[in-house]
Amino acid sequence: MVRLEARGLEQVELYSKLEFTNPTGSVKDRAARYMIEHGLASGKINEKTLLVESSSGNFGIALAALSARRKLRFCCVIDPRINAINEMLIRSLGAEVVCVTERDPTGGYLQTRLRKVRSILATTPNSYWLNQYANPINAEAYYKTLGAELCEALPRLDYVFIGVSSGGTISGISRRLKEHFPKVRVIAVDVLGSVIFGGAPRPRWIPGIGASIVPDILSTAKIDEVVQVDEASAVRACHELLEQHSIFVGGSSGAALAAIRSYFHGKRFDTAPVVATIFPDRGDRYAGTIYNPDWCDQLFGGTMQSGHHRAAEVVADLQ
């Protein structure tokens, strides 16, 4: 947990939980470990089970690592938008990889990936779908781990901003925080083009936030408000975090900071509210996209400020 003194947010006391410090580099390590161990303990998984999941990256990497450690078979269903580093890691950790190429009606691939998962389950005896979008054990993982850690770390909490994709993180954390801090405002962070909260579907380029379906697991979340941000703002916030704070994160972290800045813009308080957020993954896997000026210019053009070229230089220095 770090105190973040961000420009334009001097009126709040802002903290971020750096979840990219987990073993495979993301918040998804928590759910992967909890769901696999629960499956083994309950008898739903055994040493011959084929684990199956659809993933755009982080959850697939975490499941591949945990499956290798437990000597379990894992099949990850991906699509062409997965970045090369994530795919390499999933394959290198020993997972079987199936890549779908047909777009779904929203223009994305998620619904196609989920159809492929169901097809594998139907034709493979002793297979088990972790199903991060609907399995309540996903939310329970965050209720018992990350949610509890936030309660322990902060004596007071007024707002929490959490990016939403599969929905497990916000579902578990929001329930735990509402029990400990009854007056806390839970703000869901989404991106334009996601349909999770009723938005119109359109192509999205940042993995790990937003979705082309409404996750079933969100029915258990305790959400007070939703803030949607555009992807260019999320990318600019990623560059700001690297250049001004030496925090190297992925797009969902930038979206969270952009949402916080939008939400508190122009607001003043007699006592600074305590605000928390989650930075779910690290930025090295986005060197070819979010931190690549050519990629940014191609997608966002003049909406990006020149600072992203400096961010690319910082990334080059780190490499």
Side-chain angles (χ1 to χ4, degrees):
M1 181 77 77
V2 298
R3 173 75 185 273
L4 191 65
E5 296 181 354
R7 184 185 64 238
L9 288 170
E10 295 83 4
Q11 72 273 39
V12 305
E13 189 175 330
L14 176 59
Y15 296 89
S16 180
K17 194 78 159 63
L18 306 184
E19 284 297 292
F20 56 78
T21 61
N22 286 317
T24 73
S26 86
V27 70
K28 296 291 188 176
D29 279 353
R30 296 177 181 273
R33 177 178 179 180
Y34 197 88
M35 294 171 79
I36 286 177
E37 291 187 350
H38 181 274
L40 289 167
S42 66
K44 294 179 179 179
I45 298 171
N46 58 47
E47 69 277 3
K48 296 182 179 180
T49 301
L50 175 67
L51 303 178
V52 187
E53 185 57 289
S54 158
S55 174
S56 61
N58 286 329
F59 197 39
I61 293 167
L63 286 172
L66 267 294
S67 296
R69 180 177 178 182
R70 289 288 192 168
K71 296 182 170 54
L72 299 170
R73 293 172 59 208
F74 170 52
C75 176
C76 189
V77 179
I78 65 172
D79 65 59
R81 287 184 180 173
I82 190 171
N83 73 50
I85 296 174
N86 286 352
E87 183 175 356
M88 178 275 293
L89 287 170
I90 293 170
R91 291 183 183 275
S92 297
L93 288 164
E96 303 169 34
V97 175
V98 175
C99 184
V100 303
T101 56
E102 178 186 353
R103 292 184 182 272
D104 62 35
T106 70
Y109 294 95
L110 178 55
Q111 295 177 34
T112 308
R113 293 202 321 250
L114 296 180
R115 284 199 302 271
K116 188 63 178 180
V117 167
R118 295 185 180 97
S119 174
I120 293 170
L121 295 172
T123 57
T124 308
N126 192 13
S127 55
Y128 180 77
W129 182 13
L130 281 301
N131 196 358
Q132 59 179 320
Y133 291 92
N135 190 340
I137 303 303
N138 182 14
E140 185 177 320
Y142 296 104
Y143 176 92
K144 290 192 172 180
T145 63
L146 184 49
E149 290 171 21
L150 288 168
C151 293
E152 182 179 355
L154 296 168
R156 179 170 68 91
L157 182 60
D158 301 298
Y159 298 88
V160 63
F161 288 73
I162 303 174
V164 180
S165 180
S166 62
T169 305
I170 195 169
S171 296
I173 291 176
S174 63
R175 296 203 313 269
R176 189 62 178 255
L177 291 180
K178 288 285 189 178
E179 291 173 2
H180 194 79
F181 303 107
K183 295 183 179 180
V184 68
R185 300 285 293 177
V186 176
I187 316 297
V189 179
D190 197 13
V191 291
L192 296 175
S194 167
V195 307
I196 295 176
F197 298 102
R202 74 182 194 191
R204 291 173 291 107
W205 305 103
I206 298 176
I209 188 165
S212 55
I213 64 170
V214 180
D216 293 341
I217 202 169
L218 269 184
S219 63
T220 64
K222 305 290 186 181
I223 297 172
D224 296 296
E225 298 179 68
V226 177
V227 175
Q228 278 197 316
V229 300
D230 63 272
E231 290 187 302
S233 296
V235 171
R236 282 195 295 269
C238 287
H239 299 159
E240 174 189 339
L241 286 165
L242 177 58
E243 295 168 16
Q244 299 182 18
H245 305 280
S246 300
I247 297 177
F248 192 29
V249 290
S252 56
S253 303
L257 180 59
I260 294 168
R261 178 166 285 123
S262 172
Y263 186 87
F264 288 109
H265 179 71
K267 294 181 180 178
R268 295 292 180 265
F269 305 91
D270 294 332
T271 301
V274 176
V275 181
T277 191
I278 310 296
F279 287 170
D281 66 353
R282 61 192 183 210
D284 51 355
R285 295 166 190 167
Y286 303 87
T289 54
I290 288 172
Y291 297 97
N292 179 342
D294 294 332
W295 183 88
C296 293
D297 286 340
Q298 181 180 0
L299 285 181
F300 307 121
T303 64
M304 291 296 297
Q305 297 175 350
S306 60
H308 70 279
H309 294 280
R310 173 57 188 151
E313 295 171 6
V314 175
V315 173
D317 291 341
L318 291 174
Q319 293 173 333

